[in-house]
Amino acid sequence: MQIFTKINDIKAAITLLKAKKYRIGFVPTMGALHNGHLSLIYKAKAENDITVCSIFVNPVQFNNTEDFEKYPIQNDTDIDLLKNSKCDLVFLPSVKEMYPEPPTEKFNFGTLENVMEGAFRPGHFNGVAIVVKKLFEIITPDKAYFGEKDFQQLMIIKSLIKKLNLRIEIVACPIIRESDGLAMSSRNVRLTEHQRKIAPEIHALLKKCADHSMEFSLEHVKSEVIKSIEAIPEFKLDYFEIADEENLQPISNWSDSDTPRAFVAIFLDKVRLIDNMKIFCNFAKS
Ligand code: AMP
């Protein structure tokens, strides 16, 4: 496995690989890797000749200084995990390498970014778009792999691809969970023992919501889930929404969408966790 820290060096390596007609699969990450990230690496390996993983904690996508400062960094462990996963190339740039000047580009994702993460983390998706555009320019992948864990981000990236007319296939990968249901996240290591014990309730509530979609009105299901979240003193709810998974607009009735998905963001003290779950309601629009 080759490790690069300089843009020009990885670009040169990729030019050589492309000359051999190798297909490049790319997995962008912020490191502190877990099995969720590795599932993306395995998928990229299965579908491409060369797999590239980037590790870069992107300062411009953080709207909260403490979240950025406390973001876990474990490059040595990450490199071992990537070696074991037979990843081919790793790109580990510094902030100065990625942003010699502070980036100023502004994107407009319209209604996709006005809700949920976009509404609660102003500037977040602009920062994500800035870094992903730059990484795509450097790596020039054939396919790029993103987790449904960050479902809204996935839709923003698909929109970015269209906006920039890039010929990169975006591959959506399912959420990988701990055995107790908690969605794997780099931020989970920041939870106290007690917080870690109660955090799987987020998944349990999403599941309850999905399971009861057939029996009750959307309004009822939503208010019951919100009540349950508010009943847990350690949870501070940012949002719980049921939205159409294509346009991400919140819906008020099950019949408003063929593809509803529940989305949640919760603080446990200073640690913010997000999760989401597809709702299969085959009676929608009937
Ligand atoms: P991050 O390092 O958090 O920026 O995540 C890098 C990529 O891994 C993103 O596409 C995430 O959606 C994806 N990812 C993170 N956690 C999971 C998970 N539990 N299951 C699947 N994909 C994930």
Side-chain angles (χ1 to χ4, degrees):
M1 187 176 80
Q2 284 181 285
I3 301 168
F4 298 88
T5 56
K6 299 289 177 215
I7 293 174
N8 285 342
D9 293 346
I10 193 159
K11 272 178 125 174
I14 286 181
T15 303
L16 290 178
L17 293 165
K18 289 218 151 178
K20 293 184 184 163
K21 302 262 181 283
Y22 286 157
R23 292 185 60 80
I24 314 276
F26 178 42
V27 180
T29 80
M30 297 206 298
L33 301 180
H34 49 65
N35 284 339
H37 297 113
L38 297 183
S39 73
L40 274 55
I41 300 281
Y42 297 140
K43 198 158 171 62
K45 279 201 67 66
E47 297 182 353
N48 300 277
D49 303 307
I50 295 289
T51 296
V52 183
C53 177
S54 65
I55 297 177
F56 180 62
V57 183
N58 175 33
V60 303
Q61 74 182 68
F62 284 81
N63 58 316
N64 176 319
T65 320
E66 185 174 349
D67 189 29
F68 174 61
E69 283 166 359
K70 297 250 168 90
Y71 201 85
I73 292 180
Q74 43 176 65
N75 290 345
D76 292 346
T77 319
D78 288 350
I79 286 167
D80 284 346
L81 286 169
L82 291 171
K83 265 188 202 153
N84 290 339
S85 315
K86 308 257 184 306
C87 179
D88 301 291
L89 269 55
V90 181
F91 183 43
L92 235 168
S94 66
V95 173
K96 259 254 146 322
E97 181 70 10
M98 286 295 276
Y99 304 127
E101 303 287 334
T104 53
E105 199 166 1
K106 290 275 173 279
F107 293 87
N108 181 355
F109 294 105
T111 51
L112 277 186
E113 66 178 343
N114 295 338
V115 292
M116 303 187 287
E117 291 302 280
F120 281 82
R121 300 184 67 190
H124 169 63
F125 287 127
N126 203 66
V128 169
I130 286 173
V131 78
V132 171
K133 180 183 171 204
K134 178 133 196 175
L135 289 167
F136 282 172
E137 283 165 358
I138 298 166
I139 310 295
T140 62
D142 296 284
K143 294 187 179 194
Y145 296 78
F146 289 85
E148 290 185 342
K149 160 79 175 25
D150 301 278
F151 197 88
Q152 193 171 2
Q153 168 175 279
L154 172 67
M155 302 314 274
I156 292 275
I157 301 299
K158 285 185 176 172
S159 165
L160 180 73
I161 290 285
K162 273 201 197 133
K163 248 184 227 310
L164 302 175
N165 283 312
L166 297 176
R167 287 179 56 193
I168 300 172
E169 185 186 333
I170 302 301
V171 182
C173 305
I175 302 174
I176 305 299
R177 300 180 177 282
E178 302 286 357
S179 54
D180 57 14
L182 178 64
M184 289 189 182
S185 163
S186 304
R187 289 183 177 88
N188 290 351
V189 297
R190 293 187 52 208
L191 297 171
T192 64
E193 205 177 315
H194 173 65
Q195 289 168 340
R196 176 62 191 82
K197 250 188 211 145
I198 58 171
E201 195 56 27
I202 299 171
H203 168 253
L205 287 168
L206 283 175
K207 199 161 172 322
K208 195 167 138 193
C209 167
D211 291 347
H212 291 296
S213 65
M214 303 292 267
E215 294 163 47
F216 301 106
S217 71
L218 184 146
E219 202 185 353
H220 178 81
V221 170
K222 199 172 154 182
S223 80
E224 287 300 306
V225 171
I226 291 174
K227 258 193 246 162
S228 307
I229 293 170
E230 289 174 346
I232 301 170
E234 293 88 344
F235 283 1
K236 191 184 147 286
L237 181 65
D238 246 2
Y239 61 81
F240 173 75
E241 273 305 349
I242 299 173
D244 179 86
E245 68 173 22
E246 295 297 324
N247 62 25
L248 299 182
Q249 297 313 294
I251 55 170
S252 331
N253 297 292
W254 293 120
S255 58
D256 291 344
S257 166
D258 286 333
T259 50
R261 189 175 275 266
F263 296 85
V264 67
I266 286 177
F267 274 102
L268 283 95
D269 195 13
K270 301 278 169 53
V271 184
R272 188 171 181 278
L273 301 180
I274 59 169
D275 201 349
N276 68 82
M277 188 174 284
K278 189 171 177 62
I279 298 175
F280 292 95
C281 56
N282 48 20
F283 63 93
K285 291 231 162 128
S286 64

